[in-house]
Amino acid sequence: MSAGQAYEERTAPELSVHGQGQTLSAQVGRHARSAPRARALTFVGAQRPDTTYAELHDRAGRLATVLADRGVRAGERVALLMTNRPQYAEALVACSRLGAIAVPLSFRLVPAELTYQLADSGACALLVDTGLLANATEALPGTAVTATLVTDTDDYEAELAAAGPHPEIPVDEDTAAVILYTSGTTGRPKGAMLSHRNLHSWVASRYAHMGFPSSCRVSLCAVPMFHVAGYATYLSTMFTGGRMVLMPSGAFDAAEVIDVLDREQVSLAFFVPAQWQAIVRHPALAGRSFPHFVAANWGAAPASAQLVREIRAAFPTVSLTSAFGQTETCSSALVLMPEDAAERPDSVGKPMLGVEARVVDPEMNDVPPGEVGEIVYRGPTVMTGYWNAPEKTAEAFRGGWFHSGDLVRVDEDGFYYVVDRIKDMIISGGENVYCAEVENVLAGHPKVGSVAVVGAPHARWGEVPVAVVVPRGDEAPTAEELEAYGRRFLAGYKVPKRITVVPAMPMNASGKILKGELRSLVRSGA
């Protein structure tokens, strides 16, 4: 008999431990007592796909004991280097139960990048998959990690089977629950500290906006759980006693996702724009009605107005919202409600409940409606700071507000519109060119599948915009076609006069286009 079989044949899980406070572990424990047989997780493609709340609570409690026996205490950091799998979900609950701080790491990082984040966080323990163990082993020298657990082995199951459930540790809700490293498209990633209070405030705000109908209890997680969008999907599902359908990590397969939406009767899903584009243009959608799919949203990267129209056409009965924010704001900070989307399809909405937002100039003066400035935030969903980086924290919170780095404008009715990232803005002949504005226009060209705009050096103008295009079909647009199309909607200095055609956009694990790579591409003359 394998260790896994031995674990499954134990007696019913003990549910005597009562959770305290608004933590992930406490919420899972409450659902385990009130609805022990309810499904918490469905792992797509597994032989035994479902995990009940009682099983999740029990396994997380036993993992907490295993970690405590290895010296993990409240406030210690536990790194998670895993692909999407149920063990990831139980590890997050186990850390919460101990009052330890989870540190999700991207499984796409190379050893040198892993070493930096492990050393920066000061993690004392690492949970890892077998397939990622070689990279982890190479990354460990020079870090504080003293305990490594390989989560997809019989030895792991045997340790859980032998352990008893660890009692819940009282946790100060203002302490960090998780450190999520920013995507690092420019510079080294920073570890955003999100407290227990940040997280449960965000869940409450989210459901205050979208409601909590009984028809909206099955969520799909098709993004990595180390990303704030995957983490937030899991967190909100567990807090509300729903079921999360978890897709395995790997190349995004639009046909498989469409099948899962149908087969698992998914009611709520989040996709980044590149994933939505693959879904709505896939022939597997034909002839399907998706009666259980009632709410959907997008975020993590800008979506063109053209793509939003395609999503609404493909799923006409789904309530579609946009979610705009960043890791430091527990994912979304602004929401565009479905009832507003028809009149303002290019808006990202208004601040969520409890979130204050302003649009300011570099001196922190509010700019008038219609003018471009940086959006700054404060409120209970904004991170407590960057881990081990007091100077960067002080800079981010200068003036008492969190500086997002996003350029936006707000209209007379209080709706926000994304213009660009500050670092992506092009200055051409003294004029500001906002890449997101240009991209949004060019995405409407019938030959454009996806587009990104970057700056290239120019002897006269300093910089000029260049379009990097993935064709929609077999024929790519010419520079002349794209320029003529762009001049219908944009001032001449904003219109790219060069294009570079690529088969696919380079993206990081968060679904964001790596504009640094595109700048290198266009500046090399490729």
Side-chain angles (χ1 to χ4, degrees), residues 85-161:
R85 59 181 60 249
Q87 289 92 332
Y88 208 130
E90 68 197 29
L92 290 170
V93 181
C95 289
S96 172
R97 191 168 182 135
L98 287 174
I101 303 171
V103 186
L105 302 175
S106 169
F107 54 74
R108 297 188 176 102
L109 299 180
V110 300
E113 294 170 310
L114 291 172
T115 298
Y116 169 74
Q117 294 187 16
L118 287 169
D120 183 69
S121 66
C124 67
L126 171 68
L127 277 67
V128 63
D129 290 347
T130 300
L132 300 168
L133 186 56
N135 273 2
T137 302
E138 186 177 341
L140 288 180
T143 73
V145 174
T146 57
T148 300
L149 284 172
V150 185
T151 61
D152 54 346
T153 65
D154 282 349
D155 287 344
Y156 177 83
E157 294 296 332
E159 286 207 66
L160 292 194

Side-chain angles (χ1 to χ4, degrees), residues 38-43 49-53 56 85-87 89-90 234 238 242-246:
R39 290 183 291 173
L41 297 168
T42 296
F43 186 45
D50 292 326
T51 302
T52 66
Y53 272 96
L56 178 59
R85 59 181 60 249
Q87 289 92 332
E90 68 197 29
Y234 175 59
M238 295 301 99
R243 174 169 69 101
M244 187 175 81
V245 179
L246 182 61

